Amino acid sequence: MAYDHYVAISKPLHYLVIMRQRVCVVLLVVSWVGGFLHSIIQLGTIYRLPFCNPNVIDHFMCDMYTLLKLVCTDTYVIGILVVANGGLICSIMFLLLLVSYGIILHSLKNLSQEGRWKALQTCGCHITVVVCFSVPAFFMYGRPAKTFPTDKSLSVFYTVITPMLNP
């Protein structure tokens, strides 16, 4: 979305030429492959672990930290892998989005006052959604593998509320 916004704001007359169907498909496939690899890594870490009875998850969804609570063996190393995988992905994506919007805001100096205002309105909504998603997600996955009482409300926030706010 950040690249789409950049092209729409910085090169509006060339938008249809730059954002061809092939470019959109490549962006979509890269997103899918990244999500698939992330899921495979997490699935690979818990696939062969022994789970204890009762197999009841005290959460709204099947999340990694709640699954690790049900494991019968020591999960310290697996917890570090989960933090490295999830926290690193959250951090990198958030930093890439901040850099891309920094580039967009820097390119606004060439626009008129009305053009700047429209661009800021367009980007402001997306930046708000990115922050509302990234901060709770980073809090959930960028910390040690431990569950807290606020995890349920945070998971609802970044899986239900944030997508509803997305323009």
Side-chain angles (χ1 to χ4, degrees), residues 20-87:
R20 296 180 315 271
Q21 184 176 2
R22 181 179 172 165
V23 173
C24 293
V25 168
V26 166
L27 290 173
L28 181 69
V29 168
V30 167
S31 175
W32 282 350
V33 168
F36 181 75
L37 289 175
H38 173 68
S39 298
I40 289 297
I41 290 170
Q42 290 201 346
L43 184 63
T45 58
I46 64 164
Y47 183 68
R48 295 191 184 260
L49 293 176
F51 291 97
C52 301
N53 288 335
N55 290 337
V56 177
I57 295 175
D58 184 32
H59 209 277
F60 295 126
M61 61 184 179
C62 186
D63 203 13
M64 284 298 289
Y65 294 148
T66 55
L67 277 176
L68 290 178
K69 276 178 62 174
L70 300 177
V71 173
C72 296
T73 62
D74 184 30
T75 60
Y76 179 75
V77 174
I78 295 169
I80 291 174
L81 290 173
V82 170
V83 169
N85 186 19

Side-chain angles (χ1 to χ4, degrees), residues 1-32:
M1 276 183 92
Y3 182 69
D4 179 59
H5 285 173
Y6 170 73
V7 173
I9 291 169
S10 300
K11 303 178 187 314
L13 297 177
H14 300 283
Y15 181 81
L16 293 175
V17 174
I18 295 171
M19 292 300 291
R20 296 180 315 271
Q21 184 176 2
R22 181 179 172 165
V23 173
C24 293
V25 168
V26 166
L27 290 173
L28 181 69
V29 168
V30 167
S31 175
W32 282 350

Side-chain angles (χ1 to χ4, degrees), residues 32-154:
W32 282 350
V33 168
F36 181 75
L37 289 175
H38 173 68
S39 298
I40 289 297
I41 290 170
Q42 290 201 346
L43 184 63
T45 58
I46 64 164
Y47 183 68
R48 295 191 184 260
L49 293 176
F51 291 97
C52 301
N53 288 335
N55 290 337
V56 177
I57 295 175
D58 184 32
H59 209 277
F60 295 126
M61 61 184 179
C62 186
D63 203 13
M64 284 298 289
Y65 294 148
T66 55
L67 277 176
L68 290 178
K69 276 178 62 174
L70 300 177
V71 173
C72 296
T73 62
D74 184 30
T75 60
Y76 179 75
V77 174
I78 295 169
I80 291 174
L81 290 173
V82 170
V83 169
N85 186 19
L88 188 66
I89 287 175
C90 286
S91 300
I92 288 172
M93 291 300 127
F94 186 67
L95 287 174
L96 284 174
L97 283 167
L98 285 180
V99 166
S100 66
Y101 278 110
I103 292 169
I104 290 172
L105 293 176
H106 179 70
S107 70
L108 292 180
K109 66 181 179 183
N110 299 332
L111 297 178
S112 66
Q113 186 67 25
E114 183 180 335
R116 282 187 206 140
W117 180 246
K118 286 182 180 181
L120 287 174
Q121 283 181 323
T122 303
C123 292
C125 294
H126 190 245
I127 290 171
T128 303
V129 171
V130 166
V131 168
C132 287
F133 176 80
S134 296
V135 170
F138 184 74
F139 178 75
M140 289 285 293
Y141 302 110
R143 60 179 167 80
K146 192 175 178 185
T147 57
F148 293 107
T150 58
D151 287 354
K152 285 183 184 179
S153 58
L154 280 175

